Amino acid sequence: MNQIKTIEGHFNAADLKFAILAARFNDLIVERLISGAVDYLIRHGASEENLTIVRVPGAFEMPVVCKKLAASGNYDGIVALGAVIRGGTPHFDFVANEATKGLAHVSLESGVPVGFGLLTTDNIEQAIERAGTKAGNKGVEAAAALLETVRVLKLL
Ligand code: INI
């Protein structure tokens, strides 16, 4: 095993530029995700002037704005934060699927990593649990995964 070359990202956000793309829909939840992501990045060495928060109406609008952010060349990575909560109609599935597919597509096509912090839950309780209460904070997880991915990409 000692002979195997291993490449892995470290968790130092110093001198990296991040966009935090956040949906206004379900903003009670999404604000907690933003706080978690910002807190994580700052505690890992990012500076406030290298963080930009960009707000969009809902999860459905995230991919097109993410595409422009990626194409700008201004960011090492983008954290996408939102909350899609199931209602009584198929609307949830369309919004959640399109946002998820769109964000993955932008990341692959642009080569700019996107941290996926879009909650998709059956009810508001599950969303609250994942926004800084008993099931952690998905904004923190997305920022951590993004930071590691940015760093590993820079080593390849
Ligand atoms: N947008 C969300 O971010 N979360 C939701 O739960 C949601 N629901 O359930 O409707 C939602 N809808 C709005 C959508 O993202 C668009 O903003 C809207 O359809 C206008 O294009």
Side-chain angles (χ1 to χ4, degrees):
M1 288 288 275
N2 327 347
Q3 303 292 323
I4 301 174
K5 180 174 177 180
T6 302
I7 299 171
E8 54 189 0
H10 58 83
F11 292 86
N12 178 3
D15 300 322
L16 295 178
K17 293 193 172 72
F18 294 98
I20 295 157
L21 174 60
R24 292 186 196 281
F25 209 102
N26 292 319
D27 85 300
L28 184 81
I29 302 293
V30 180
E31 286 306 316
R32 302 315 306 153
L33 304 180
I34 296 172
S35 298
V38 167
D39 182 60
Y40 180 90
L41 293 171
I42 296 287
R43 282 191 295 111
H44 287 79
S47 56
E48 285 194 5
E49 62 267 26
N50 283 340
L51 303 183
T52 304
I53 297 174
V54 180
R55 295 184 196 272
V56 292
F60 190 80
E61 285 73 34
M62 293 172 88
V64 68
V65 176
C66 192
K67 183 176 178 180
K68 186 137 192 186
L69 288 169
S72 73
N74 292 336
Y75 305 102
D76 295 290
I78 300 163
V79 198
L81 303 174
V84 192
I85 301 174
R86 194 180 284 282
T89 70
H91 191 72
F92 166 95
D93 299 286
F94 293 119
V95 173
N97 287 341
E98 291 312 308
T100 304
K101 270 192 293 178
L103 291 170
H105 184 78
V106 167
S107 186
L108 282 175
E109 287 300 308
S110 66
V112 177
V114 175
F116 184 65
L118 180 66
L119 290 173
T120 52
T121 65
D122 285 333
N123 53 52
I124 189 84
E125 288 76 18
Q126 289 177 349
I128 291 169
E129 283 170 12
R130 288 158 181 78
T133 60
K134 69 180 185 185
N137 184 318
K138 187 76 179 167
V140 173
E141 285 174 33
L146 176 64
L147 177 54
E148 183 174 359
T149 307
V150 168
R151 285 301 186 190
V152 82
L153 283 170
K154 287 188 182 298
L155 296 173
L156 299 176

PDB file of all heavy atoms in Angstrom, residues 23-26 30 56-62 81-87 91-92 95-96 99 118-119, ligand 1:
ATOM      1  N   ALA A  23     -31.411  29.649  -2.924  1.00  0.00           N
ATOM      2  CA  ALA A  23     -32.810  29.904  -3.292  1.00  0.00           C
ATOM      3  C   ALA A  23     -33.515  30.652  -2.165  1.00  0.00           C
ATOM      4  O   ALA A  23     -33.261  30.411  -0.985  1.00  0.00           O
ATOM      5  CB  ALA A  23     -33.510  28.575  -3.550  1.00  0.00           C
ATOM      6  N   ARG A  24     -34.406  31.576  -2.547  1.00  0.00           N
ATOM      7  CA  ARG A  24     -35.201  32.287  -1.527  1.00  0.00           C
ATOM      8  C   ARG A  24     -36.365  31.429  -1.032  1.00  0.00           C
ATOM      9  O   ARG A  24     -36.861  31.623   0.081  1.00  0.00           O
ATOM     10  CB  ARG A  24     -35.796  33.567  -2.118  1.00  0.00           C
ATOM     11  CG  ARG A  24     -34.785  34.627  -2.443  1.00  0.00           C
ATOM     12  CD  ARG A  24     -35.501  35.902  -2.885  1.00  0.00           C
ATOM     13  NE  ARG A  24     -34.583  36.797  -3.545  1.00  0.00           N
ATOM     14  CZ  ARG A  24     -33.723  37.584  -2.907  1.00  0.00           C
ATOM     15  NH1 ARG A  24     -33.679  37.587  -1.589  1.00  0.00           N
ATOM     16  NH2 ARG A  24     -32.918  38.361  -3.592  1.00  0.00           N
ATOM     17  N   PHE A  25     -36.859  30.528  -1.861  1.00  0.00           N
ATOM     18  CA  PHE A  25     -37.995  29.674  -1.493  1.00  0.00           C
ATOM     19  C   PHE A  25     -37.623  28.882  -0.232  1.00  0.00           C
ATOM     20  O   PHE A  25     -36.511  28.365  -0.124  1.00  0.00           O
ATOM     21  CB  PHE A  25     -38.275  28.703  -2.651  1.00  0.00           C
ATOM     22  CG  PHE A  25     -39.708  28.269  -2.758  1.00  0.00           C
ATOM     23  CD1 PHE A  25     -40.558  28.822  -3.699  1.00  0.00           C
ATOM     24  CD2 PHE A  25     -40.203  27.283  -1.915  1.00  0.00           C
ATOM     25  CE1 PHE A  25     -41.882  28.398  -3.799  1.00  0.00           C
ATOM     26  CE2 PHE A  25     -41.518  26.859  -2.004  1.00  0.00           C
ATOM     27  CZ  PHE A  25     -42.361  27.416  -2.952  1.00  0.00           C
ATOM     28  N   ASN A  26     -38.519  28.786   0.702  1.00  0.00           N
ATOM     29  CA  ASN A  26     -38.239  28.115   1.990  1.00  0.00           C
ATOM     30  C   ASN A  26     -37.047  28.778   2.686  1.00  0.00           C
ATOM     31  O   ASN A  26     -36.152  28.105   3.210  1.00  0.00           O
ATOM     32  CB  ASN A  26     -37.973  26.618   1.795  1.00  0.00           C
ATOM     33  CG  ASN A  26     -39.215  25.867   1.349  1.00  0.00           C
ATOM     34  OD1 ASN A  26     -40.308  26.123   1.834  1.00  0.00           O
ATOM     35  ND2 ASN A  26     -39.056  24.943   0.419  1.00  0.00           N
ATOM     36  N   VAL A  30     -33.317  27.740   4.211  1.00  0.00           N
ATOM     37  CA  VAL A  30     -32.127  28.007   3.387  1.00  0.00           C
ATOM     38  C   VAL A  30     -31.157  28.955   4.100  1.00  0.00           C
ATOM     39  O   VAL A  30     -29.943  28.806   3.986  1.00  0.00           O
ATOM     40  CB  VAL A  30     -32.527  28.534   1.983  1.00  0.00           C
ATOM     41  CG1 VAL A  30     -31.277  28.801   1.138  1.00  0.00           C
ATOM     42  CG2 VAL A  30     -33.432  27.537   1.269  1.00  0.00           C
ATOM     43  N   VAL A  56     -31.466  33.421  -5.765  1.00  0.00           N
ATOM     44  CA  VAL A  56     -32.393  33.190  -6.883  1.00  0.00           C
ATOM     45  C   VAL A  56     -33.768  32.867  -6.287  1.00  0.00           C
ATOM     46  O   VAL A  56     -33.854  32.515  -5.109  1.00  0.00           O
ATOM     47  CB  VAL A  56     -31.916  32.029  -7.787  1.00  0.00           C
ATOM     48  CG1 VAL A  56     -30.644  32.401  -8.521  1.00  0.00           C
ATOM     49  CG2 VAL A  56     -31.719  30.741  -7.009  1.00  0.00           C
ATOM     50  N   PRO A  57     -34.844  32.982  -7.088  1.00  0.00           N
ATOM     51  CA  PRO A  57     -36.177  32.778  -6.511  1.00  0.00           C
ATOM     52  C   PRO A  57     -36.388  31.373  -5.916  1.00  0.00           C
ATOM     53  O   PRO A  57     -36.848  31.232  -4.787  1.00  0.00           O
ATOM     54  CB  PRO A  57     -37.120  33.010  -7.693  1.00  0.00           C
ATOM     55  CG  PRO A  57     -36.348  33.845  -8.664  1.00  0.00           C
ATOM     56  CD  PRO A  57     -34.906  33.454  -8.498  1.00  0.00           C
ATOM     57  N   GLY A  58     -36.081  30.353  -6.698  1.00  0.00           N
ATOM     58  CA  GLY A  58     -36.307  28.990  -6.207  1.00  0.00           C
ATOM     59  C   GLY A  58     -35.292  28.038  -6.793  1.00  0.00           C
ATOM     60  O   GLY A  58     -34.430  28.420  -7.608  1.00  0.00           O
ATOM     61  N   ALA A  59     -35.411  26.780  -6.400  1.00  0.00           N
ATOM     62  CA  ALA A  59     -34.445  25.768  -6.849  1.00  0.00           C
ATOM     63  C   ALA A  59     -34.428  25.633  -8.372  1.00  0.00           C
ATOM     64  O   ALA A  59     -33.383  25.364  -8.963  1.00  0.00           O
ATOM     65  CB  ALA A  59     -34.782  24.429  -6.206  1.00  0.00           C
ATOM     66  N   PHE A  60     -35.573  25.825  -8.995  1.00  0.00           N
ATOM     67  CA  PHE A  60     -35.657  25.662 -10.458  1.00  0.00           C
ATOM     68  C   PHE A  60     -34.737  26.650 -11.180  1.00  0.00           C
ATOM     69  O   PHE A  60     -34.226  26.355 -12.260  1.00  0.00           O
ATOM     70  CB  PHE A  60     -37.114  25.854 -10.915  1.00  0.00           C
ATOM     71  CG  PHE A  60     -37.331  25.466 -12.350  1.00  0.00           C
ATOM     72  CD1 PHE A  60     -37.490  24.132 -12.708  1.00  0.00           C
ATOM     73  CD2 PHE A  60     -37.379  26.432 -13.350  1.00  0.00           C
ATOM     74  CE1 PHE A  60     -37.678  23.768 -14.030  1.00  0.00           C
ATOM     75  CE2 PHE A  60     -37.570  26.084 -14.677  1.00  0.00           C
ATOM     76  CZ  PHE A  60     -37.720  24.744 -15.023  1.00  0.00           C
ATOM     77  N   GLU A  61     -34.531  27.831 -10.598  1.00  0.00           N
ATOM     78  CA  GLU A  61     -33.696  28.862 -11.233  1.00  0.00           C
ATOM     79  C   GLU A  61     -32.201  28.656 -10.956  1.00  0.00           C
ATOM     80  O   GLU A  61     -31.365  29.373 -11.525  1.00  0.00           O
ATOM     81  CB  GLU A  61     -34.100  30.254 -10.733  1.00  0.00           C
ATOM     82  CG  GLU A  61     -35.402  30.788 -11.319  1.00  0.00           C
ATOM     83  CD  GLU A  61     -36.648  30.108 -10.783  1.00  0.00           C
ATOM     84  OE1 GLU A  61     -36.654  29.730  -9.597  1.00  0.00           O
ATOM     85  OE2 GLU A  61     -37.607  29.929 -11.563  1.00  0.00           O
ATOM     86  N   MET A  62     -31.872  27.727 -10.089  1.00  0.00           N
ATOM     87  CA  MET A  62     -30.457  27.583  -9.713  1.00  0.00           C
ATOM     88  C   MET A  62     -29.537  27.185 -10.875  1.00  0.00           C
ATOM     89  O   MET A  62     -28.458  27.768 -11.035  1.00  0.00           O
ATOM     90  CB  MET A  62     -30.308  26.608  -8.536  1.00  0.00           C
ATOM     91  CG  MET A  62     -30.910  27.170  -7.263  1.00  0.00           C
ATOM     92  SD  MET A  62     -30.967  25.975  -5.941  1.00  0.00           S
ATOM     93  CE  MET A  62     -29.379  26.257  -5.241  1.00  0.00           C
ATOM     94  N   LEU A  81     -27.437  25.948  -2.569  1.00  0.00           N
ATOM     95  CA  LEU A  81     -28.231  25.695  -1.362  1.00  0.00           C
ATOM     96  C   LEU A  81     -29.715  25.996  -1.590  1.00  0.00           C
ATOM     97  O   LEU A  81     -30.071  27.073  -2.062  1.00  0.00           O
ATOM     98  CB  LEU A  81     -27.716  26.580  -0.215  1.00  0.00           C
ATOM     99  CG  LEU A  81     -26.226  26.433   0.134  1.00  0.00           C
ATOM    100  CD1 LEU A  81     -25.828  27.477   1.171  1.00  0.00           C
ATOM    101  CD2 LEU A  81     -25.918  25.032   0.626  1.00  0.00           C
ATOM    102  N   GLY A  82     -30.540  25.041  -1.258  1.00  0.00           N
ATOM    103  CA  GLY A  82     -31.974  25.248  -1.414  1.00  0.00           C
ATOM    104  C   GLY A  82     -32.718  24.160  -0.658  1.00  0.00           C
ATOM    105  O   GLY A  82     -32.114  23.244  -0.090  1.00  0.00           O
ATOM    106  N   ALA A  83     -34.040  24.273  -0.671  1.00  0.00           N
ATOM    107  CA  ALA A  83     -34.867  23.267   0.013  1.00  0.00           C
ATOM    108  C   ALA A  83     -36.127  23.049  -0.808  1.00  0.00           C
ATOM    109  O   ALA A  83     -36.909  23.980  -1.008  1.00  0.00           O
ATOM    110  CB  ALA A  83     -35.224  23.747   1.417  1.00  0.00           C
ATOM    111  N   VAL A  84     -36.278  21.832  -1.301  1.00  0.00           N
ATOM    112  CA  VAL A  84     -37.503  21.485  -2.017  1.00  0.00           C
ATOM    113  C   VAL A  84     -38.275  20.527  -1.115  1.00  0.00           C
ATOM    114  O   VAL A  84     -37.783  19.461  -0.746  1.00  0.00           O
ATOM    115  CB  VAL A  84     -37.207  20.836  -3.393  1.00  0.00           C
ATOM    116  CG1 VAL A  84     -38.493  20.759  -4.218  1.00  0.00           C
ATOM    117  CG2 VAL A  84     -36.148  21.623  -4.158  1.00  0.00           C
ATOM    118  N   ILE A  85     -39.469  20.968  -0.737  1.00  0.00           N
ATOM    119  CA  ILE A  85     -40.252  20.210   0.242  1.00  0.00           C
ATOM    120  C   ILE A  85     -41.525  19.699  -0.429  1.00  0.00           C
ATOM    121  O   ILE A  85     -42.264  20.470  -1.055  1.00  0.00           O
ATOM    122  CB  ILE A  85     -40.571  21.089   1.475  1.00  0.00           C
ATOM    123  CG1 ILE A  85     -39.248  21.565   2.110  1.00  0.00           C
ATOM    124  CG2 ILE A  85     -41.420  20.313   2.487  1.00  0.00           C
ATOM    125  CD1 ILE A  85     -39.397  22.558   3.236  1.00  0.00           C
ATOM    126  N   ARG A  86     -41.767  18.397  -0.310  1.00  0.00           N
ATOM    127  CA  ARG A  86     -42.867  17.753  -1.020  1.00  0.00           C
ATOM    128  C   ARG A  86     -44.218  18.317  -0.595  1.00  0.00           C
ATOM    129  O   ARG A  86     -44.467  18.536   0.598  1.00  0.00           O
ATOM    130  CB  ARG A  86     -42.836  16.245  -0.746  1.00  0.00           C
ATOM    131  CG  ARG A  86     -43.698  15.432  -1.684  1.00  0.00           C
ATOM    132  CD  ARG A  86     -43.630  13.954  -1.352  1.00  0.00           C
ATOM    133  NE  ARG A  86     -42.387  13.320  -1.782  1.00  0.00           N
ATOM    134  CZ  ARG A  86     -42.113  12.948  -3.035  1.00  0.00           C
ATOM    135  NH1 ARG A  86     -42.984  13.150  -3.994  1.00  0.00           N
ATOM    136  NH2 ARG A  86     -40.968  12.354  -3.325  1.00  0.00           N
ATOM    137  N   GLY A  87     -45.060  18.587  -1.580  1.00  0.00           N
ATOM    138  CA  GLY A  87     -46.429  19.007  -1.292  1.00  0.00           C
ATOM    139  C   GLY A  87     -47.364  17.913  -1.774  1.00  0.00           C
ATOM    140  O   GLY A  87     -46.966  16.758  -1.919  1.00  0.00           O
ATOM    141  N   HIS A  91     -45.475  18.594  -8.409  1.00  0.00           N
ATOM    142  CA  HIS A  91     -44.601  19.754  -8.599  1.00  0.00           C
ATOM    143  C   HIS A  91     -43.215  19.526  -7.990  1.00  0.00           C
ATOM    144  O   HIS A  91     -42.185  19.838  -8.597  1.00  0.00           O
ATOM    145  CB  HIS A  91     -45.262  20.975  -7.959  1.00  0.00           C
ATOM    146  CG  HIS A  91     -44.613  22.281  -8.294  1.00  0.00           C
ATOM    147  ND1 HIS A  91     -44.708  22.848  -9.537  1.00  0.00           N
ATOM    148  CD2 HIS A  91     -43.863  23.122  -7.551  1.00  0.00           C
ATOM    149  CE1 HIS A  91     -44.027  23.983  -9.542  1.00  0.00           C
ATOM    150  NE2 HIS A  91     -43.501  24.168  -8.353  1.00  0.00           N
ATOM    151  N   PHE A  92     -43.200  18.970  -6.792  1.00  0.00           N
ATOM    152  CA  PHE A  92     -41.943  18.690  -6.075  1.00  0.00           C
ATOM    153  C   PHE A  92     -40.963  17.933  -6.964  1.00  0.00           C
ATOM    154  O   PHE A  92     -39.784  18.275  -7.049  1.00  0.00           O
ATOM    155  CB  PHE A  92     -42.265  17.847  -4.825  1.00  0.00           C
ATOM    156  CG  PHE A  92     -41.071  17.200  -4.162  1.00  0.00           C
ATOM    157  CD1 PHE A  92     -40.428  17.817  -3.091  1.00  0.00           C
ATOM    158  CD2 PHE A  92     -40.598  15.955  -4.578  1.00  0.00           C
ATOM    159  CE1 PHE A  92     -39.335  17.212  -2.469  1.00  0.00           C
ATOM    160  CE2 PHE A  92     -39.511  15.349  -3.968  1.00  0.00           C
ATOM    161  CZ  PHE A  92     -38.884  15.984  -2.906  1.00  0.00           C
ATOM    162  N   VAL A  95     -39.478  20.077  -9.855  1.00  0.00           N
ATOM    163  CA  VAL A  95     -38.508  21.082  -9.375  1.00  0.00           C
ATOM    164  C   VAL A  95     -37.238  20.388  -8.880  1.00  0.00           C
ATOM    165  O   VAL A  95     -36.110  20.756  -9.262  1.00  0.00           O
ATOM    166  CB  VAL A  95     -39.120  21.960  -8.251  1.00  0.00           C
ATOM    167  CG1 VAL A  95     -38.068  22.870  -7.635  1.00  0.00           C
ATOM    168  CG2 VAL A  95     -40.279  22.790  -8.797  1.00  0.00           C
ATOM    169  N   ALA A  96     -37.388  19.356  -8.049  1.00  0.00           N
ATOM    170  CA  ALA A  96     -36.212  18.679  -7.483  1.00  0.00           C
ATOM    171  C   ALA A  96     -35.372  18.028  -8.580  1.00  0.00           C
ATOM    172  O   ALA A  96     -34.145  18.157  -8.591  1.00  0.00           O
ATOM    173  CB  ALA A  96     -36.657  17.634  -6.461  1.00  0.00           C
ATOM    174  N   ALA A  99     -33.642  20.746 -10.928  1.00  0.00           N
ATOM    175  CA  ALA A  99     -32.572  21.454 -10.229  1.00  0.00           C
ATOM    176  C   ALA A  99     -31.355  20.533 -10.064  1.00  0.00           C
ATOM    177  O   ALA A  99     -30.214  20.931 -10.325  1.00  0.00           O
ATOM    178  CB  ALA A  99     -33.063  21.940  -8.865  1.00  0.00           C
ATOM    179  N   LEU A 118     -28.802  20.945  -1.845  1.00  0.00           N
ATOM    180  CA  LEU A 118     -30.244  21.104  -2.083  1.00  0.00           C
ATOM    181  C   LEU A 118     -30.969  20.011  -1.301  1.00  0.00           C
ATOM    182  O   LEU A 118     -30.860  18.830  -1.624  1.00  0.00           O
ATOM    183  CB  LEU A 118     -30.535  20.968  -3.586  1.00  0.00           C
ATOM    184  CG  LEU A 118     -32.000  21.115  -3.992  1.00  0.00           C
ATOM    185  CD1 LEU A 118     -32.504  22.535  -3.723  1.00  0.00           C
ATOM    186  CD2 LEU A 118     -32.181  20.775  -5.470  1.00  0.00           C
ATOM    187  N   LEU A 119     -31.705  20.427  -0.274  1.00  0.00           N
ATOM    188  CA  LEU A 119     -32.496  19.459   0.488  1.00  0.00           C
ATOM    189  C   LEU A 119     -33.712  19.059  -0.327  1.00  0.00           C
ATOM    190  O   LEU A 119     -34.362  19.925  -0.931  1.00  0.00           O
ATOM    191  CB  LEU A 119     -32.984  20.092   1.794  1.00  0.00           C
ATOM    192  CG  LEU A 119     -31.967  20.378   2.882  1.00  0.00           C
ATOM    193  CD1 LEU A 119     -32.654  21.157   4.021  1.00  0.00           C
ATOM    194  CD2 LEU A 119     -31.385  19.089   3.406  1.00  0.00           C
TER     195      LEU A 119
HETATM  196  N1  INI B   1     -38.748  26.052  -5.118  1.00  0.00           N
HETATM  197  C1  INI B   1     -37.956  25.637  -4.093  1.00  0.00           C
HETATM  198  O1  INI B   1     -36.787  26.060  -4.015  1.00  0.00           O
HETATM  199  N2  INI B   1     -38.442  24.763  -3.184  1.00  0.00           N
HETATM  200  C2  INI B   1     -39.715  24.265  -3.225  1.00  0.00           C
HETATM  201  O2  INI B   1     -40.101  23.475  -2.330  1.00  0.00           O
HETATM  202  C3  INI B   1     -40.546  24.683  -4.301  1.00  0.00           C
HETATM  203  N3  INI B   1     -41.912  24.181  -4.396  1.00  0.00           N
HETATM  204  O3  INI B   1     -42.269  23.253  -3.659  1.00  0.00           O
HETATM  205  O4  INI B   1     -42.701  24.667  -5.181  1.00  0.00           O
HETATM  206  C4  INI B   1     -40.032  25.597  -5.238  1.00  0.00           C
HETATM  207  N4  INI B   1     -40.805  26.042  -6.268  1.00  0.00           N
HETATM  208  C5  INI B   1     -40.464  27.232  -7.007  1.00  0.00           C
HETATM  209  C6  INI B   1     -39.604  26.945  -8.213  1.00  0.00           C
HETATM  210  O5  INI B   1     -38.288  26.610  -7.822  1.00  0.00           O
HETATM  211  C7  INI B   1     -39.515  28.170  -9.126  1.00  0.00           C
HETATM  212  O6  INI B   1     -38.933  29.248  -8.433  1.00  0.00           O
HETATM  213  C8  INI B   1     -40.902  28.615  -9.631  1.00  0.00           C
HETATM  214  O7  INI B   1     -41.574  27.529 -10.232  1.00  0.00           O
HETATM  215  C9  INI B   1     -40.780  29.756 -10.676  1.00  0.00           C
HETATM  216  O8  INI B   1     -39.999  29.344 -11.786  1.00  0.00           O
END
